Amino acid sequence: MAPPFADMREFIDTLEANNELRVIKNADWDLEIGTICELNYEQKGPALLFDDIKDYPTGFRVLAESTWGVRRAMLALGPPPDTSIDEGLAAYERRVASYKPVAPVEVQTGPIYENSYWVDDIDLLKFP
């Protein structure tokens, strides 16, 4: 089984490489994103990546339905995408059984601190 993804960008690239992603630009955050997701779900469509969302700065994106269905679930977990649900669950159980935690390391600086918001700075409407 493949190793876990380094980050969400790598997973998005994997979805795209496996023809499991559709990029939608300029959707309105208010009603369009939810409606498009619902229609896509009903049609068993690909994962959706909303980009250049109305009223939000470039770079604020929304990924939806990224693990819906067996194929995308297998892509997320690591086995080949054509793996059956039973084989995929068995592989996942093996991975969990062999899990060895890594001791945390406290740091004073790093990427984790680049987008930190505290108390009065918190605004959930900042995100689409």
Side-chain angles (χ1 to χ4, degrees), residues 18-30:
N18 283 274
N19 200 29
E20 287 289 337
L21 182 72
R22 180 167 183 193
V23 177
I24 299 174
K25 294 186 177 263
N26 303 311
D28 190 315
W29 60 271
D30 187 24

Side-chain angles (χ1 to χ4, degrees), residues 8 11-12 15 20-30 32-38 40 46-66 124-128:
M8 183 61 76
F11 179 55
I12 290 170
L15 288 171
E20 287 289 337
L21 182 72
R22 180 167 183 193
V23 177
I24 299 174
K25 294 186 177 263
N26 303 311
D28 190 315
W29 60 271
D30 187 24
E32 285 184 338
I33 290 177
T35 301
I36 292 167
C37 287
E38 181 65 26
N40 186 63
L48 301 173
L49 181 63
F50 295 92
D51 202 359
D52 297 326
I53 297 167
K54 181 184 171 203
D55 298 332
Y56 283 89
T58 299
F60 280 71
R61 305 184 303 170
V62 172
L63 178 64
E65 303 178 16
S66 60
L124 295 181
L125 297 177
K126 177 181 175 107
F127 306 102

Side-chain angles (χ1 to χ4, degrees), residues 115-127:
N115 295 302
S116 297
Y117 300 96
W118 305 99
V119 190
D120 293 335
D121 294 333
I122 297 171
D123 177 10
L124 295 181
L125 297 177
K126 177 181 175 107
F127 306 102

Side-chain angles (χ1 to χ4, degrees), residues 47-122:
L48 301 173
L49 181 63
F50 295 92
D51 202 359
D52 297 326
I53 297 167
K54 181 184 171 203
D55 298 332
Y56 283 89
T58 299
F60 280 71
R61 305 184 303 170
V62 172
L63 178 64
E65 303 178 16
S66 60
T67 58
W68 184 86
V70 175
R71 181 173 168 77
R72 287 196 296 273
M74 292 305 120
L75 284 170
L77 294 174
D82 58 346
T83 303
S84 73
I85 189 73
D86 292 334
E87 292 169 343
L89 286 172
Y92 177 73
E93 288 170 357
R94 286 191 299 276
R95 177 178 275 175
V96 169
S98 67
Y99 171 72
K100 293 181 178 51
V102 176
V105 175
E106 289 190 31
V107 296
Q108 298 302 313
T109 63
I112 188 92
Y113 294 108
E114 287 177 4
N115 295 302
S116 297
Y117 300 96
W118 305 99
V119 190
D120 293 335
D121 294 333
I122 297 171

